[in-house]
């Protein structure tokens, strides 16, 4: 896989008409990624309950190929569901770096977006985008499971725009212009 | 609960503990006793647990009577969200209501319960803010362990004799004791510069 | 269950202890609890829970919010059962202001809190099953919970954080359609409880993993200040609804289920039985629902309780939730302290884990049914 991701774009571009091959490969790889988004089972606060509801029978997240994984090493979607406190910030950065690329981050709920009702608290990080780059923001306090599903669908659209040529996984974040982590381990 | 139900317990406590008195500012509807000195605490607690059957330590907490809260303890503004408005000044009045006197004191409060007889009693003790030191109740009540650590973390009250008096809730790099009224937040790496 | 460290001696066979770090990201810690465990072989010799990973400083924030804004923050402590949090805060402020709550609002508060108790215990049932290794109960429990959330949504518009119980009463009324739907749910729910018993409660594997594990004797439970089903599982019949009735609980007929020897299974089964009692209370409350006002009269838009101190506590889903409120006569509370049941229940973990096998940690931890939002506040 590494060879395809790293070397294939260079080889393909060197051949005349190679762009056509590259586009179809992009499509197939993106399709695979899109329908097997494996999030990390990682609940922080109130939003985690709505996240659990989304996995349960009524909303049935499995339909989207979203299957929770207990280890960050098997996951490619980090769902920040809840308030990120300053004490929790460092472990979250650790978890983020333990995930293999391409990795995606969704900020679920007002707290993860901007601090939410705790906007003036001394111990809350006002938005997870201050420490790790975010792909999709879901507003709400807490967002309904439908909102979470919509967020995943938006992420799937975003994944379909990923191109090998632009360097695998990191593109999605670079494209959106999200901030980089302040230093690798902030 | 009938506040008079604990009358005999209150009377015995007042008789046994020197200079203890019925608090002038009680917790509404509950018997509240003010202790005179930190040294009396263990005496009172032993009496409550041993003779009077108050085995259940319900709450350990404190109030800082310095005055209105310092708004520097809240981290406002600097929000990167362009849609969010700066919040209006929080509703803090500088003048106390009738019957309240601001003073540089920490008011500690313990609540004991007697589950069998269904009674509750509150003990309180005033300490100067800069020398807040009081004996720990961990030797008598296991429940005091974390609650005293919490009071230490958020108020900076030292509980002498506590086996493990370290921070419990706030992160290691947080300076000061957030629930003190004069707490001013020092900017750390997660705050917007 | 007796467990002793297996000591192997001999040259080159010195035993060493191992430090295991559980959390803060772990699927079974129900949030962001961190547990440091020192192991000798498989046996735990030292355990120290490390909390504060969800400390949001609400007690401080409330000092700069007015009373109505505080209710919103209370929702976020115990987010699995937010109604009792609203209630405890409102009761303490109402005590200071000496407001009389209209009877219909009282009954609605009871109905909502009991529904929330069922919803919260259903989360426990589902997640405890997952902790032990049974995934199926989770799907069943959440199916029933969704019905309760639909009822909430119909009444107050929110699924999880309600802000429904306000100072002086409740925010919204229920109609006859809601009452009919609620009755329908209760009729549907009663046979489901027996279903859970066959599915999980008396499942031999489940029994083997929980019945002899995590024993808490009566004295230890009282000494460590446990409350709620954790205390009652050890055989202490203490329920705030009985000992200091609020909102007219004295008018309802219900039992307080207690366990026998304080094992994980006792704590679990106390909760299952509590759901039956909640159904009883709900049926009675729906039958004699009085009509009338929802809000007390003569309450200022921006309340300023007179200076003073009040303590009010309620039997929340996880135990004795108390609010100590100090007012200096201002718009904002001068000081709020939360006697959070989860915080105090969790402290005993450092004692009872010692000597247990590492495989039992999750069974014991799960049986306390902690919510980290309330542990850290």
């Amino acid at each position: 896989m590494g060879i395809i991701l790293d070397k294939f774009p260079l080889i393909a571009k060197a051949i005349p008409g190679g762009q056509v091959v590259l586009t179809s490969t992009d499509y197939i790889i993106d399709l695979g990624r899109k329908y097997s988004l494996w999030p990390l089972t990682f609940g922080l606060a109130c939003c985690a309950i709505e996240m659990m509801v989304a996995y349960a029978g009524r909303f049935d997240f499995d339909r989207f190929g979203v299957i929770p994984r207990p280890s960050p090493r098997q996951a490619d979607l980090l769902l920040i569901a809840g308030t990120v406190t300053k004490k929790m910030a460092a472990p979250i950065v650790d978890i983020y770096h333990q995930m293999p690329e391409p990795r995606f981050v969704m900020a679920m709920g007002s707290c993860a977006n901007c601090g939410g009702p705790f906007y003036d608290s001394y111990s809350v990080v006002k938005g997870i985008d201050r420490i790790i780059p975010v792909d999709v923001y879901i507003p709400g306090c807490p967002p309904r499971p439908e909102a979470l599903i919509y967020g995943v669908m938006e992420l799937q659209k975003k994944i379909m725009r990923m191109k090998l040529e632009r360097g695998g996984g990191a593109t999605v974040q670079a494209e959106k212009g999200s901030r980089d982590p302040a230093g690798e381990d902030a | 609960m009938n506040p008079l139900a604990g009358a005999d317990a209150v009377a015995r406590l007042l008789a046994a503990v020197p200079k203890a008195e019925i608090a002038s500012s009680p917790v509404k509807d509950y018997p509240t006793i003010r202790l005179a000195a930190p040294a009396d605490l263990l005496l009172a607690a032993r009496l409550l647990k041993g003779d009077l059957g108050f085995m259940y330590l319900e709450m350990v907490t404190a109030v800082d009577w310095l005055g209105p809260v310092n708004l520097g303890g809240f981290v406002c503004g600097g929000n990167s969200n362009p849609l969010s408005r700066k919040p209006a000044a929080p509703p803090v009045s500088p003048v106390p209501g009738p019957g309240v006197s601001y003073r540089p004191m920490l008011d500690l409060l313990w609540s004991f319960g007697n589950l069998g007889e269904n009674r509750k009693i509150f003990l309180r003790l005033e300490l100067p803010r800069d020398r807040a030191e009081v004996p720990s109740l961990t030797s008598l009540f296991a429940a005091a362990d974390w609650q005293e650590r919490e009071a230490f973390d958020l108020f900076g009250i030292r509980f002498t004799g506590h086996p493990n008096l370290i921070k419990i809730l706030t992160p290691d790099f947080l300076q000061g004791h957030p629930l003190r009224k004069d707490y001013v937040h020092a900017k750390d790496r997660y705050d917007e510069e | 269950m007796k467990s002793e460290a297996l000591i192997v001696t001999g040259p080159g066979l010195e035993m060493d202890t191992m430090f295991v770090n559980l959390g803060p990201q772990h699927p079974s810690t129900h949030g962001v609890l961190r547990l440091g465990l020192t192991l000798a072989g498989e046996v735990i010799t030292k355990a120290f829970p490390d909390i504060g990973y969800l400390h949001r400083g609400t007690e401080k924030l409330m000092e700069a919010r007015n009373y109505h804004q505080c209710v919103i923050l209370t929702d976020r402590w115990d987010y699995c059962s937010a109604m009792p949090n609203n209630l405890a805060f409102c009761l303490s402020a109402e005590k200071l202001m000496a407001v009389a709550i209209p009877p219909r609002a009282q009954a609605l508060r009871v109905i909502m809190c009991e529904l929330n108790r069922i919803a919260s215990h259903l989360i426990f049932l589902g997640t405890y099953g997952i902790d032990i290794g049974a995934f199926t109960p989770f799907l069943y429990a959440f199916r029933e919970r969704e019905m309760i959330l639909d009822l909430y949504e119909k009444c107050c518009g929110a699924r999880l954080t309600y802000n429904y119980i306000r100072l002086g009463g409740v925010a919204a009324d229920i109609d006859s359609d809601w009452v009919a739907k609620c009755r329908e749910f209760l009729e549907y729910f009663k046979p489901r409880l027996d279903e859970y018993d066959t599915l999980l409660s008396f499942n031999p594997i489940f029994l083997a993993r929980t019945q002899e594990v995590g024993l808490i004797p009566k004295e230890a439970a009282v000494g460590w200040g446990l409350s709620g089903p954790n205390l009652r599982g050890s055989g202490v019949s203490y329920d705030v609804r009985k000992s200091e009735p609020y909102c007219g609980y004295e008018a309802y007929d219900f039992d307080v289920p207690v366990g026998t020897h304080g094992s994980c299974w006792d704590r679990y089964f106390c909760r299952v039985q509590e759901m039956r009692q909640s159904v009883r209370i709900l049926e009675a409350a729906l039958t004699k629902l009085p009509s009338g006002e929802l809000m007390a009269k003569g309450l200022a838009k921006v309340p300023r309780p007179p200076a003073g101190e009040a303590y009010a506590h309620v039997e929340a889903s996880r135990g004795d939730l108390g609010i100590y409120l100090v007012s200096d006569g201002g718009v904002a509370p001068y000081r709020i302290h939360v006697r959070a049941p989860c915080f105090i229940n969790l402290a005993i973990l450092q004692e009872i884990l010692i000597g247990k096998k590492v495989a039992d940690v999750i069974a014991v931890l799960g049986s306390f049914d902690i919510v980290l939002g309330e542990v850290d506040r």
Side-chain angles (χ1 to χ4, degrees), chain A residues 84 110-116 124-132 134:
Chain A
V84 183
S110 307
C111 295
N113 291 348
C114 62
V124 171
V125 178
K126 315 297 177 323
I128 186 68
D129 53 3
R130 292 188 180 199
I131 49 174
I132 53 176
V134 177

Side-chain angles (χ1 to χ4, degrees), chain B residues 13 16-18 38-49 137 140:
Chain B
L13 207 63
V17 182
D40 297 341
L41 177 66
L42 277 176
L43 181 70
R46 264 196 212 105
L47 185 75
L48 279 172
K49 190 187 177 187
L137 289 184
L140 292 168

Side-chain angles (χ1 to χ4, degrees), chain B residues 28 30 56 58 61-62 64-65 67 90-91 97 100 102 118 120 124 143 145-146 150 168-169 178-179 181, chain C residues 51-52 59-60 63-64 95 223-227 243-244 307 309 311 313 328 332 334-335 337 339 344 350 377:
Chain B
K28 207 171 178 182
Y30 293 105
Y56 193 68
E58 202 164 283
T61 187
D64 184 358
W65 279 110
V100 178
Y102 292 144
N118 190 17
K120 203 186 296 283
R124 62 190 329 159
D145 184 352
W146 277 21
E150 187 195 351
I168 184 164
L169 290 175
L179 282 185
K181 292 286 175 184
Chain C
I51 62 170
E59 287 176 12
K60 175 96 179 171
E63 291 172 9
K95 217 175 196 177
W224 279 94
L226 299 192
S227 55
S243 70
E244 274 185 73
E309 301 173 23
Y311 180 74
H313 58 164
D328 63 348
Y334 186 73
R335 161 97 175 105
H337 176 77
R339 185 212 183 269
I344 297 165
Q350 54 191 328
R377 284 149 288 149

